[in-house]
Amino acid sequence: MKQKILVVLSLFLSFISLAFLARAEPDDSIEEISDCSNLDQEGVYVLTNDIIDTSISPCINISANNVVLDCQGHIIDSGYLGDYGIYVYRSTPTNTNITIKNCVLIEWVSYGLYLRGSNYNTLINITSNFNNYGLYLWGSNNTLTNITVNFGWFHGLYIYGSNNTLTNIIANSNGYGLYIYGSNNTLTNITASNNYYGLYLWGLSNTLTNITASNNDYGLHIYASNYNTLTNITANSNNNYGLELYDSNYNTLTNIIANSNGYGLYIYGSNNTLTNITASNNNYGLYLYVSNYNTLTNITANSNNNYGLYIDGSSNTLTNITANSNNYGLYLYGVSNTLTNITASNNSYGLYLYYSNYNTIKNSKIQNSINYGIYLDNAANNLIYNNLFNNTNNFYFAGTIYTNYWNTTRQPGDRIYSPGTEIGGNYWTNPSGNGYSDTCTDADKDGFCDSPYTLNSQNIDYLPLSDEYLALLYISDCSNLDQEGVYVLTNDIIDTSISPCINISANNVVLDCQGHIIDSDYSGDYGIYVYRSTPTNTNITIKNCVLTEWSSYGLYLRGSNNNTLTNITSNFNNNGLYIDVSNYNTLINITSNSYGYGLYLWGSNYNTLTNIIANFGCCGLELYVSNNNTLTNITASNNYYEGLALVGSNNTLTNIIANSNGYYGLYIYGLNNTLTNIIANSNYYGLYLHVLDYNTLTNIIANSNYYGLYIGSSFDNTLTNITASNNNYGLYLYYSNYNTIKDSKIQNSINYGIYLLEAKYNLIYNNLFNNTNNFYFEGTIYLNYWNTTRQPGNRIYSPGTEIGGNYWTNPSGNGYSDTCTDADRDGFCDSPYTLNSQNIDYLPLSDEYSVAYITVTFNYAQVNFGTLNHNTLNPAPNQGYGIYNCTVDTNAPYKVYAMGYDFSGPATLSISNLYFDTNETAAGLSYSNAVSLSTSYQLIDTNIPPTYTTNFHGYWLYIPYGQRAGNYNTTVIIAYMNV
């Protein structure tokens, strides 16, 4: 409080000192006035006292030019008795050069201060309150400083003109605080509060700086105004618009704050530039309506009730936008807009595109949206890339789903999220951190998921970002890779004796050999070497490597999990690849034609092997004590011992080729393995199944082997669709029980089609046995089951719709199934086929199946009863119309149904009054056998022999007594079908 008093005292003393000096040196040119006056001479006029409740209007009329009026702070008051306080009027624009200062104007009916046609004037320290118009200025090149215009009924300050300068203006509680119509005006330090319009501007190239327009109905309204510059504007707590540009173009707005309004900023115009805008806590933050080619930079629009930003327009550019905690972060309805560096967090909808096409959205973060990160409603051809989507529901498509583009071309750039030096698509995550980009495979650690992210069939991100990027390190010789990163081999390494040549001792390593050779000339043991003493998730990727002439292993992994090996060629090594106690590895596109094992897995589980070639060695692939592995598209041929050997359980093998191996095509030992689409030809054993339980084998081809399939000591296996041709033994079961063999073809076996040695309780059905000797039993002969129950199904051979046993034939075509009796031609032999007393096929298939058919030709299209008597049963056809019939062509018994509809006539009859009968002869037709029809099918006759090729129809219409004569019509449908 002391400080405030001292300041006031200092100002008062300064004023006294100035006044004293002024009085000390009287100026004879100053004219004092004490009442209303007409200033008709140029000069300096000083008002010496207040003028209160005057009715003189105008009170001060300045009719001369070059006048200075100094009111010295005195009041000029009308008490609403006069129209004009101070009045300057020129009928034509005049450079009047008038200065008016230190005046207080109150309670004037029309204008406190009125200037018209008056240019180059200076107004300083004017207070004009409680007037209809506080200050009215129609003129140009005027300077107004320290003006207060409050409580004006209409306008606080009205300017009509150009090149005026207004500084330190206060306009509160008026209709219009300031109304500016004109161009090239400069307004600085303006406060306009509690008005209907705070500031209303209509004109060109005006400059507004440091404007505060708060608590108005409308803060700033810029109407049909172009090329204006607005800087440092605060427009808060206005009921409708904080700042509105209406039909206004090419304006520049900088450092705008528009909070707690109805609309923060409302823009209806084009080619405007908005920079450093804050529009928060409004109903609508920033709203562009039918507005094009605008540039918006550094915009903050938070906590608005509806839209943070609403963009209705095209070719707008938005950069560095923050829109958080709104209902809609950013709503877009337009074409060819560019949105860059958008932050939209904690909104109900982060981005909402409504019928918006060809827009670009990039380098943005859309996070924690309550409903959806990005919502596309009939939106098409938008380019959306290098964005972070971190929402529970990242996207939604409404209406027609069109194509949008979710990545750019792969190129250098600053990515929005996750390490990396290139951009492409988007980073897809969620608040739990287990989104697609978090969990996708990035084997080469290049920062991109290896597979696209499919939002739907029309919307695919082909370059989704991952979080697995590692930096590039270049090597040109044998090296110890002891730091995580991406290593690139730049040249071949030939005849090295360093072993191991490439030792990967660090985890999280990518080695890309780029197709280069790592060669030892048999002087080193290991080409590429990964060793961990205990199982470790090493996360190593090795790709595009050629390994040759290593004395032990081209590539060796031990205790190393979660690795990816891709495009590896390992030829002419003693052993190709050795995977030892290593789990969850992925091997793709491996060629290993080595002298010993092409690829050997020992104690390794949950590995995935795809597109493997292992030929011309001792053993193509061997999995030993290895479980839960998946092998797909494997070729293991021309090995001198075995193609593929598996000792383990729960493995899945699909699309395997193992041909021309010296001993085993496939050797399988274990439980619950699944083998599908296997080809094993020209081996000694096509498939050797030993101690094999609960396995499933489907689509197996084993031809031209000594043993097609050898099943030893194996229980509860299921073999389906086996093709075994031209083997010495098609199937050989050795002490193997409870197996199922079905839907298979065992043909042209040299010795026996199926050989059972002490085998029992096997279920063998729906197979084709076409061999000179179809079966043989050795040792104790036990019970086996050679048919299932008769049931619908696709039979392995011969026509028919049901399955049961097997088809037994031979190369001469006179086997049991070829020659058995099938009197009813149902596709089954009428007698069982007895292999021996313990082995009987009770439903052997025959080749006599015949399909029932039926064709019906109606020999009439219409029935005419003629004239009928009332209250009688009237036979039809009646005399003179012949016999109605149809011709039936069938090879099986048949039955007849009939129904009627659309019955009409003058009496209250229905379709139930019509009776229908069929018979093999016309004479056999009888009303007593006829059936009353209805609107649903009724059974008329059943089990008519196929030899009755003509079927006669009889109709009876019952007309009760008293019904009127007239025309009766109906439609009858007759249906024939086989029994």
Side-chain angles (χ1 to χ4, degrees):
M1 184 61 71
K2 290 181 179 179
Q3 182 180 4
K4 188 171 183 181
I5 293 172
L6 289 173
V7 171
V8 172
L9 180 59
S10 174
L11 291 171
F12 178 74
L13 292 175
S14 176
F15 175 77
I16 294 298
S17 175
L18 290 171
F20 176 77
L21 291 173
R23 289 189 179 92
E25 298 179 3
D27 188 347
D28 294 337
S29 65
I30 294 176
E31 181 176 342
E32 293 182 349
I33 58 174
S34 59
D35 205 348
C36 295
S37 305
N38 179 22
L39 311 185
D40 55 359
Q41 300 289 325
E42 69 175 40
V44 177
Y45 296 85
V46 176
L47 182 61
T48 59
N49 52 265
D50 294 344
I51 302 172
I52 303 299
D53 291 342
T54 181
S55 61
I56 300 172
S57 179
C59 179
I60 305 294
N61 179 23
I62 306 177
S63 56
N65 299 332
N66 303 312
V67 166
V68 174
L69 170 61
D70 184 355
C71 297
Q72 297 191 106
H74 289 299
I75 297 169
I76 303 175
D77 169 75
S78 160
Y80 300 114
L81 300 173
D83 286 317
Y84 301 95
I86 299 175
Y87 183 84
V88 178
Y89 177 85
R90 303 294 184 269
S91 60
T92 59
T94 304
N95 296 337
T96 50
N97 192 30
I98 293 170
T99 297
I100 303 170
K101 59 183 179 179
N102 305 323
C103 299
V104 178
L105 301 149
I106 60 175
E107 297 181 346
W108 291 93
V109 172
S110 294
Y111 302 92
L113 194 155
Y114 181 93
L115 284 80
R116 182 182 177 92
S118 182
N119 304 328
Y120 290 98
N121 302 293
T122 301
L123 284 68
I124 303 174
N125 298 334
I126 306 296
T127 298
S128 182
N129 296 336
F130 302 104
N131 307 290
N132 278 341
Y133 285 80
L135 193 155
Y136 182 98
L137 173 60
W138 189 333
S140 301
N141 296 290
N142 299 287
T143 300
L144 288 74
T145 306
N146 298 336
I147 308 297
T148 299
V149 283
N150 297 333
F151 304 106
W153 291 107
F154 295 108
H155 296 80
L157 192 154
Y158 183 101
I159 305 289
Y160 186 97
S162 301
N163 297 300
N164 297 290
T165 301
L166 288 73
T167 306
N168 299 337
I169 310 297
I170 297 173
N172 298 331
S173 303
N174 305 281
Y176 290 76
L178 288 84
Y179 186 101
I180 312 296
Y181 184 96
S183 301
N184 295 297
N185 297 290
T186 300
L187 287 75
T188 307
N189 299 337
I190 310 297
T191 299
S193 300
N194 299 300
N195 305 283
Y196 186 70
Y197 284 95
L199 190 153
Y200 191 106
L201 176 66
W202 187 348
L204 304 175
S205 301
N206 298 286
T207 300
L208 287 71
T209 307
N210 298 338
I211 310 297
T212 299
S214 300
N215 298 298
N216 306 283
D217 273 0
Y218 296 86
L220 285 82
H221 183 88
I222 315 298
Y223 177 77
S225 298
N226 303 330
Y227 300 103
N228 298 287
T229 300
L230 286 75
T231 307
N232 299 338
I233 309 297
T234 299
N236 296 334
S237 302
N238 299 284
N239 292 329
N240 291 297
Y241 301 101
L243 191 155
E244 179 184 18
L245 268 70
Y246 190 88
D247 196 19
S248 297
N249 308 315
Y250 297 100
N251 297 287
T252 300
L253 286 71
T254 307
N255 299 338
I256 310 297
I257 298 174
N259 298 331
S260 303
N261 306 284
Y263 290 78
L265 284 83
Y266 184 97
I267 311 296
Y268 173 32
S270 299
N271 295 289
N272 298 290
T273 300
L274 287 74
T275 307
N276 298 338
I277 310 297
T278 298
S280 298
N281 298 297
N282 306 283
N283 282 332
Y284 301 87
L286 193 154
Y287 196 104
L288 269 70
Y289 177 71
V290 193
S291 297
N292 307 320
Y293 297 100
N294 297 287
T295 300
L296 286 72
T297 307
N298 300 338
I299 310 296
T300 299
N302 297 333
S303 302
N304 298 285
N305 293 331
N306 290 301
Y307 303 96
L309 286 85
Y310 183 102
I311 310 298
D312 174 2
S314 300
S315 301
N316 298 288
T317 300
L318 287 75
T319 307
N320 300 339
I321 309 297
T322 299
N324 298 332
S325 303
N326 308 283
N327 190 20
Y328 296 86
L330 193 152
Y331 186 102
L332 182 61
Y333 175 35
V335 176
S336 300
N337 298 285
T338 300
L339 287 69
T340 306
N341 196 17
I342 310 299
T343 298
S345 300
N346 300 300
N347 303 287
S348 294
Y349 299 87
L351 301 178
Y352 195 108
L353 278 67
Y354 180 75
Y355 286 90
S356 294
N357 308 325
Y358 299 100
N359 300 287
T360 298
I361 303 170
K362 61 181 179 177
N363 305 340
S364 298
K365 295 181 178 180
I366 317 302
Q367 304 187 79
N368 300 315
S369 301
I370 297 170
N371 293 334
Y372 299 99
I374 183 168
Y375 190 103
L376 296 94
D377 188 347
N378 289 281
N381 296 298
N382 297 287
L383 175 60
I384 304 166
Y385 70 94
N386 199 36
N387 302 294
L388 168 65
F389 290 99
N390 179 13
N391 309 276
T392 301
N393 300 302
N394 277 321
F395 57 85
Y396 186 82
F397 294 85
T400 303
I401 298 176
Y402 296 103
T403 298
N404 295 279
Y405 305 97
W406 296 86
N407 58 274
T408 185
T409 56
R410 183 169 173 172
Q411 58 189 272
D414 295 327
R415 53 171 60 197
I416 191 66
Y417 186 81
S418 78
T421 60
E422 294 179 303
I423 61 173
N426 303 280
Y427 194 94
W428 302 94
T429 184
N430 57 41
S432 299
N434 59 359
Y436 185 79
S437 292
D438 308 308
T439 59
C440 71
T441 300
D442 181 5
D444 56 5
K445 310 297 182 186
D446 63 351
F448 295 95
C449 299
D450 294 342
S451 299
Y453 179 48
T454 300
L455 290 73
N456 55 50
S457 61
Q458 299 279 75
N459 293 269
I460 300 173
D461 186 343
Y462 290 97
L463 288 171
L465 308 181
S466 82
D467 59 357
E468 297 294 324
Y469 175 78
L470 294 175
L472 291 179
L473 301 166
Y474 295 95
I475 58 174
S476 59
D477 206 344
C478 296
S479 304
N480 178 23
L481 312 186
D482 56 0
Q483 296 181 19
E484 71 175 38
V486 178
Y487 293 83
V488 178
L489 182 62
T490 58
N491 51 263
D492 294 344
I493 301 172
I494 303 298
D495 291 345
T496 181
S497 61
I498 300 172
S499 180
C501 179
I502 305 293
N503 178 26
I504 306 178
S505 57
N507 300 332
N508 302 313
V509 164
V510 175
L511 171 61
D512 185 355
C513 298
Q514 297 191 108
H516 289 299
I517 298 170
I518 303 174
D519 172 79
S520 163
D521 196 24
Y522 303 109
S523 58
D525 287 318
Y526 303 98
I528 298 175
Y529 184 82
V530 180
Y531 178 88
R532 302 294 184 269
S533 57
T534 58
T536 304
N537 292 335
T538 49
N539 298 315
I540 292 169
T541 297
I542 302 170
K543 61 182 181 178
N544 306 323
C545 299
V546 179
L547 302 153
T548 61
E549 298 182 341
W550 291 92
S551 61
S552 293
Y553 301 97
L555 193 153
Y556 181 93
L557 269 74
R558 179 178 173 84
S560 184
N561 302 333
N562 290 301
N563 304 293
T564 301
L565 283 66
T566 307
N567 299 333
I568 307 296
T569 299
S570 180
N571 294 337
F572 309 111
N573 304 289
N574 281 340
N575 296 284
L577 286 81
Y578 189 93
I579 312 297
D580 186 9
V581 194
S582 297
N583 305 323
Y584 298 101
N585 298 289
T586 300
L587 287 74
I588 302 175
N589 298 336
I590 309 296
T591 298
S592 183
N593 300 324
S594 294
Y595 302 122
Y597 290 97
L599 194 155
Y600 191 99
L601 274 73
W602 193 94
S604 296
N605 307 318
Y606 298 101
N607 298 286
T608 300
L609 288 71
T610 307
N611 300 338
I612 310 296
I613 297 173
N615 300 330
F616 305 113
C618 155
C619 312
L621 283 82
E622 180 157 333
L623 285 77
Y624 187 77
V625 194
S626 296
N627 306 317
N628 297 289
N629 298 287
T630 300
L631 287 73
T632 307
N633 299 339
I634 309 296
T635 299
S637 298
N638 296 294
N639 297 285
Y640 66 80
Y641 186 68
E642 63 189 23
L644 188 153
L646 170 64
V647 178
S649 300
N650 298 298
N651 298 284
T652 300
L653 287 70
T654 307
N655 299 339
I656 310 297
I657 297 174
N659 296 332
S660 302
N661 298 285
Y663 207 61
Y664 301 106
L666 282 83
Y667 178 101
I668 310 295
Y669 180 111
L671 304 175
N672 294 307
N673 297 290
T674 300
L675 286 74
T676 307
N677 300 338
I678 310 297
I679 298 175
N681 298 331
S682 303
N683 308 281
Y684 187 76
Y685 293 96
L687 279 82
Y688 186 98
L689 313 177
H690 184 61
V691 190
L692 192 73
D693 300 337
Y694 304 104
N695 297 277
T696 300
L697 288 76
T698 307
N699 301 339
I700 310 296
I701 297 175
N703 298 331
S704 303
N705 306 283
Y706 192 82
Y707 294 93
L709 281 83
Y710 183 100
I711 305 171
S713 303
S714 299
F715 302 153
D716 295 292
N717 300 288
T718 299
L719 287 73
T720 306
N721 195 19
I722 310 299
T723 298
S725 300
N726 301 300
N727 303 286
N728 281 47
Y729 297 87
L731 302 178
Y732 194 104
L733 276 68
Y734 175 86
Y735 288 94
S736 293
N737 310 325
Y738 301 102
N739 300 288
T740 298
I741 303 170
K742 61 179 180 176
D743 306 335
S744 299
K745 294 180 179 180
I746 317 302
Q747 304 184 82
N748 300 315
S749 301
I750 296 170
N751 294 336
Y752 298 100
I754 183 168
Y755 191 101
L756 296 93
L757 195 163
E758 303 275 347
K760 59 185 176 182
Y761 308 129
N762 297 287
L763 175 60
I764 305 166
Y765 70 94
N766 199 37
N767 302 294
L768 168 65
F769 289 99
N770 180 11
N771 309 276
T772 301
N773 300 301
N774 276 323
F775 58 87
Y776 187 83
F777 295 86
E778 183 181 353
T780 303
I781 298 176
Y782 293 103
L783 174 67
N784 293 279
Y785 307 99
W786 296 88
N787 59 272
T788 185
T789 57
R790 182 169 174 172
Q791 57 189 274
N794 296 320
R795 52 171 60 196
I796 190 66
Y797 187 80
S798 78
T801 60
E802 295 178 301
I803 62 172
N806 303 279
Y807 195 93
W808 302 95
T809 185
N810 57 43
S812 300
N814 58 1
Y816 185 80
S817 291
D818 307 310
T819 59
C820 71
T821 300
D822 181 6
D824 58 2
R825 305 176 70 84
D826 63 352
F828 294 96
C829 299
D830 293 343
S831 300
Y833 178 49
T834 301
L835 289 73
N836 56 52
S837 61
Q838 296 281 71
N839 292 269
I840 301 173
D841 185 344
Y842 290 97
L843 288 170
L845 308 180
S846 81
D847 61 354
E848 295 297 320
Y849 178 76
S850 178
V851 180
Y853 66 89
I854 185 167
T855 302
V856 180
T857 303
F858 286 87
N859 300 319
Y860 68 101
Q862 182 174 317
V863 172
N864 190 335
F865 284 92
T867 301
L868 304 177
N869 297 320
H870 295 280
N871 199 25
T872 60
L873 292 175
N874 299 281
N878 62 0
Q879 297 168 2
Y881 283 89
I883 302 298
Y884 299 100
N885 64 66
C886 65
T887 302
V888 181
D889 180 13
T890 183
N891 66 345
Y894 61 94
K895 52 190 174 181
V896 182
Y897 291 86
M899 64 172 289
Y901 63 93
D902 290 344
F903 193 96
S904 64
T908 57
L909 304 184
S910 70
I911 189 62
S912 63
N913 291 84
L914 183 64
Y915 290 77
F916 179 70
D917 185 32
T918 67
N919 198 268
E920 294 80 11
T921 65
L925 293 172
S926 169
Y927 169 71
S928 61
N929 294 326
V931 175
S932 173
L933 298 184
S934 73
T935 56
S936 61
Y937 278 109
Q938 304 295 310
L939 179 62
I940 308 300
D941 205 349
T942 183
N943 205 26
I944 304 172
T947 54
Y948 293 147
T949 58
T950 302
N951 190 242
F952 293 88
H953 300 163
Y955 297 89
W956 290 263
L957 180 65
Y958 176 70
I959 303 176
Y961 177 78
Q963 298 295 342
R964 289 181 296 144
N967 293 321
Y968 296 91
N969 296 284
T970 189
T971 299
V972 176
I973 299 176
I974 306 170
Y976 284 78
M977 62 184 66
N978 290 118
V979 175

